[in-house]
Amino acid sequence: MADFVVHWVDAFTDRPFGGNGCAVIHHAAHLDDETCLAFVRETSLVECTFLGPSDVADVRVRYFLASREIPFAGHPTVASVVAAHAAGTIGTGDVTLETLAGIIPVHLSEDGKRVTMRQIAPEFGPVVDTELAAAAIGLRAEDIIAPPQMVSTGLPFIITLLRDRVSLCCAALNASAIEAMNNTLGEFGADVMEPFLSTLGGFTKQGDTFSRLLLLPPSPSEDPFTGSATGALASYLWTHGLIETPEFVAEQGHAMGRPGRADVRLIGPRDAIEGVEVAGAGYILMSGTLHL
């Protein structure tokens, strides 16, 4: 049996029970996939991370859903950096993370509570048929106000911009329609991708966008805050001229009782984005020991 230090961090919030929770397991990047997957399922969280030493960065981060390992994720990055600092693995200031999506540079505030990550330049994939996207989320085609498109800043999402908050709240996934939609994406549809649903205008007066990410089993039914998708959304909005400035406030999770906020800044012109900065706070809710 081995013991591992664990921090449970609520990311993209500065208070308990907000944002999106992530369990961060230290000195555990060597664990086998099945153990990591079983731990995620045990927590009922959307994602957990497993940290370890790196030869090319300050720390190695492995990201796991309940179903598979993924190359990168936003709220677990915030959680991992805050937890690594609390564990004494990293200091404040500029830090680098080794991930399957490459080396991710982040900045940790002096108080160790706020993380700014720079996501990689976006990759724009196929445009999705609006009728197929609407069927996948149980809405009408006219509820979607811009062509849905696959975008990735480290992890791909189908960015789907909706008419208003009513449409956003009424959306519900249809598993067979999701499969039909993904089958049109060629190589990009190899993994299941649920649409990232967003509206222009925040849930609060401070927000500029409000979003939801509905998930299929074995993950929980909804992700409270999705930092990687927020970077993809920002790239989509900026490239297609749907926002006027490269800086905005993204909100998510409020309708779930888990309000989260990210401050977003796009780097580069609309036709040549170099990267996306997504910044948010992390709150350490619990810490303890995992016995395996």
Side-chain angles (χ1 to χ4, degrees):
M1 178 178 288
D3 292 342
F4 300 88
V5 174
V6 180
H7 285 91
W8 185 302
V9 182
D10 287 339
F12 291 107
T13 184
D14 59 1
R15 64 200 65 187
F17 313 124
N20 201 349
C22 176
V24 182
I25 301 87
H26 301 273
H27 309 294
H30 63 282
L31 291 175
D32 64 273
D33 289 5
E34 286 306 313
T35 299
C36 296
L37 293 168
F39 179 76
V40 179
R41 291 192 289 267
E42 183 77 7
T43 66
S44 295
L45 291 167
V46 175
E47 289 149 328
C48 298
T49 58
F50 299 80
L51 310 189
S54 172
D55 294 329
V56 295
D58 293 304
V59 64
R60 180 187 177 200
V61 184
R62 297 181 69 193
Y63 304 83
F64 279 85
L65 299 166
S67 58
R68 66 191 188 279
E69 183 174 9
I70 57 176
F72 172 76
H75 89 269
T77 295
V78 171
S80 295
V81 172
V82 169
H85 176 260
T89 303
I90 61 171
T92 58
D94 293 332
V95 178
T96 54
L97 311 179
E98 178 189 353
T99 77
L100 290 179
I103 305 299
I104 304 296
V106 301
H107 183 87
L108 180 62
S109 62
E110 286 301 315
D111 62 4
K113 297 179 179 179
R114 182 175 175 80
V115 178
T116 302
M117 73 186 85
R118 177 162 173 167
Q119 298 177 10
I120 61 176
E123 175 188 0
F124 290 87
V127 172
V128 177
D129 180 84
T130 301
E131 294 282 353
L132 289 176
I137 55 177
L139 297 177
R140 303 166 303 170
E142 52 264 38
D143 293 320
I144 300 174
I145 63 172
Q149 185 174 16
M150 195 217 80
V151 186
S152 174
T153 55
L155 189 67
F157 293 91
I158 298 172
I159 303 302
T160 307
L161 194 63
L162 300 182
R163 180 184 308 279
D164 51 33
R165 198 189 302 173
V166 173
S167 300
L168 186 65
C169 291
C170 289
L173 293 186
N174 180 313
S176 59
I178 289 281
E179 182 179 3
M181 179 185 67
N182 283 336
N183 286 340
T184 69
L185 300 179
E187 62 179 300
F188 297 103
D191 291 325
V192 172
M193 282 190 289
E194 296 92 349
F196 187 62
L197 311 177
S198 299
T199 61
L200 295 173
F203 190 90
T204 73
K205 293 181 180 180
Q206 290 73 42
D208 298 297
T209 63
F210 182 53
S211 302
R212 296 179 72 197
L213 179 65
L214 306 177
L215 300 170
L216 294 172
S219 292
S221 60
E222 185 166 350
D223 196 27
F225 199 99
T226 319
S228 50
T230 298
L233 169 66
S235 301
Y236 176 92
L237 296 176
W238 185 234
T239 294
H240 293 295
L242 296 167
I243 52 175
E244 295 182 358
T245 68
E247 298 184 15
F248 67 94
V249 173
E251 294 182 327
Q252 189 179 342
H254 295 65
M256 302 174 64
R258 298 193 63 93
R261 166 187 170 133
D263 297 301
V264 185
R265 184 173 76 92
L266 291 127
I267 302 166
R270 295 184 189 273
D271 60 350
I273 299 172
E274 299 171 16
V276 187
E277 287 186 351
V278 179
Y283 182 91
I284 297 176
L285 183 68
M286 293 184 282
S287 59
T289 306
L290 172 65
H291 308 291
L292 290 177

